[in-house]
Amino acid sequence: MTAPNPVEKAFEKTLFGSRWLMAPMYLGLVVSLFMLVFIFGRDIVYYFPKLMTMNSEDVILVALTLIDLTLAANLVLIVMFSGYENFVSKLDVDSDDRPGWMGKVDFGGLKMKLIASIVAISGISLLKRFMEIGDTRVLNPDELYWMVVIHITFVVSGVLMALMDWLQAKSYSSRK
């Protein structure tokens, strides 16, 4: 066995260490999570005083907006934790309330959670628009058409990604 080339070894150490360049991006996701929490709180403060004058459809639209923000925040959290653990370093946090999925979501699982969240967010946005169908001032048929097309594209993409993961897993297990 030959001794490792010092240039190659230095290059590989540099390459391996470069994963830490991702760390500021995950810190940026913390900022985006704060922004989502701020907007969530702002919406609560804005709509709560209007509660007595709102009809049930308005309350449902507000609830859907809050669900949308919550799903987006969940998505940021999953990408932040899973991405950091998969691509940068394991989180060294000893806590009883550590979520069970932490440390167990690989890139394939992260990809599936991402597309599932996008489909859910798109579906909620589409449902909000469908609830406005009676209001001709708000409804733009072209916009609604494209929202449906985009939502179907997300759904089909998710199904195809799941199929690809299933085929890859099946192929891997048949090689064993």
Side-chain angles (χ1 to χ4, degrees), residues 84-97:
Y84 183 83
E85 284 204 332
N86 279 306
F87 302 112
V88 179
S89 180
K90 294 291 179 201
L91 286 168
D92 188 19
V93 178
D94 291 326
S95 175
D96 291 338
D97 62 346

Side-chain angles (χ1 to χ4, degrees), residues 158-171:
V159 169
L160 290 175
M161 284 173 52
L163 179 63
M164 287 187 305
D165 281 352
W166 179 76
L167 289 171
Q168 182 181 16
K170 190 173 179 180
S171 170

